[in-house]
Amino acid sequence: MEEKEKEPANRENSGRNPDGTFKSGISGNPLGRPKNTLKDYVRQKFMEMTEAEKEEFPGAEMAAYGDNYNGYLVKPEAEGKFPAVVMIHEWWGLNDNIKEMARSLAAEGYVVLAVDLYDGKVGKNSTEAGQLASKVRSNTQPAIQNMKSAVQYLKNQNNVDRNKIASMGWCFGGAMSLQLALNEKLAATIIYYGSLETNATKLSVIKWHVLGIFGEKDTSITVESVKKFEAALNQLGIENEIYVYPN
């Protein structure tokens, strides 16, 4: 379901002027830059959480990691070390729905870092979402580097078991979850109906459990491609659970 970004409830207290520019010399723009770029604006808007959000979700925060990447980090309320998940959004982007999924998973005892592969942008309709996704698919290396940096960030957290970090994504994010598995050592890979790699040579780098969930009537990720993916995993002796749900 399409999710739309919401403006801060009190824009005057958000670190920006009513026209959207930063207020000079305050937290929204600590260097007091006289001129702001669109990228500055988007990044600052993305990193903001309202006081209401902070109060309602005390374990959630916007996290900066790697080479100027930003994500939504959620931690369990309890103390201790936990398994962690790099969560990858659908083609809409890192919207409220994905943040809710991150919070739900954290409540089950996982540290979750929901990455943003669109640099703060969220598709407002299917056309925008398709354009954002196509841009990433045309050159996946920046996205892969983003996700690899997310893994390293989680490994450096005191409350994360660095040997138990998995990836999870839906559709566009499912394909990216698999791409991360082909480029980074993980503990598990979860794919919800994402595009698949069926080349056994490329898949051979995976040495951990793979969970794949697909739909029988999905016309973009066909049952035939799922079967080829499963066959390649079995050929390589990669532990896997592949489900194709009917209708």
Side-chain angles (χ1 to χ4, degrees):
M1 182 178 294
E2 179 184 341
E3 296 286 336
K4 295 184 178 180
E5 285 187 293
K6 297 179 180 179
E7 288 293 326
N10 186 347
R11 193 165 193 174
E12 287 301 318
N13 295 325
S14 69
R16 299 198 302 274
N17 297 306
D19 65 354
T21 60
F22 292 119
K23 296 176 181 176
S24 179
I26 65 171
S27 59
N29 182 16
L31 299 181
R33 296 189 183 96
K35 185 177 181 180
N36 310 113
T37 66
L38 177 60
K39 187 173 182 179
D40 288 335
Y41 171 82
V42 170
R43 190 173 302 282
Q44 180 63 29
K45 185 175 187 297
F46 176 66
M47 290 297 287
E48 290 171 353
M49 286 182 67
T50 67
E51 291 303 318
E53 287 176 316
K54 292 176 182 177
E55 183 176 346
E56 186 177 0
F57 311 114
E61 61 182 289
M62 304 312 297
Y65 60 94
D67 185 18
N68 294 319
Y69 305 127
N70 298 303
Y72 186 70
L73 179 69
V74 195
K75 308 171 186 176
E77 293 184 8
E79 298 293 329
K81 281 190 177 293
F82 302 93
V85 175
V86 175
M87 182 176 284
I88 309 151
H89 55 75
E90 302 169 293
W91 75 337
W92 301 106
L94 180 52
N95 58 18
D96 290 341
N97 179 57
I98 297 300
K99 291 177 182 179
E100 181 180 352
M101 296 298 291
R103 294 191 294 266
S104 296
L105 190 57
E108 299 296 324
Y110 296 86
V111 176
V112 183
L113 178 56
V115 298
D116 172 38
L117 303 185
Y118 293 169
D119 198 22
K121 300 180 181 68
V122 174
K124 297 181 178 65
N125 51 57
S126 60
T127 299
E128 286 188 13
Q131 291 171 345
L132 290 167
S134 294
K135 182 178 179 181
V136 174
R137 291 181 183 127
S138 67
N139 180 15
T140 59
Q141 285 308 307
I144 291 170
Q145 186 56 50
N146 182 320
M147 296 184 292
K148 287 170 64 70
S149 296
V151 172
Q152 189 58 51
Y153 176 87
L154 289 170
K155 285 182 177 180
N156 292 335
Q157 301 305 299
N158 293 331
N159 62 342
V160 169
D161 183 338
R162 61 185 293 119
N163 295 313
K164 294 182 179 180
I165 299 176
S167 65
M168 167 191 272
W170 295 266
C171 200
F172 164 84
M176 291 297 110
S177 181
L178 180 55
Q179 285 300 311
L180 179 57
L182 299 178
N183 290 275
E184 180 73 30
K185 182 179 179 180
L186 299 167
T189 297
I190 301 100
I191 305 165
Y192 283 91
Y193 46 89
S195 298
L196 300 170
E197 176 59 67
T198 57
N199 184 298
T201 300
K202 293 181 179 179
L203 292 171
S204 65
V205 298
I206 299 176
K207 308 296 182 184
W208 50 85
H209 194 98
V210 175
L211 170 62
I213 299 173
F214 305 91
E216 181 184 40
K217 294 189 176 181
D218 189 336
T219 57
S220 57
I221 299 94
T222 64
V223 173
E224 181 182 3
S225 67
V226 174
K227 288 181 176 179
K228 288 181 179 179
F229 177 63
E230 183 179 22
L233 295 178
N234 289 335
Q235 175 190 333
L236 294 165
I238 299 172
E239 187 178 0
N240 68 86
E241 292 177 72
I242 305 298
Y243 300 97
V244 178
Y245 287 89
N247 301 317

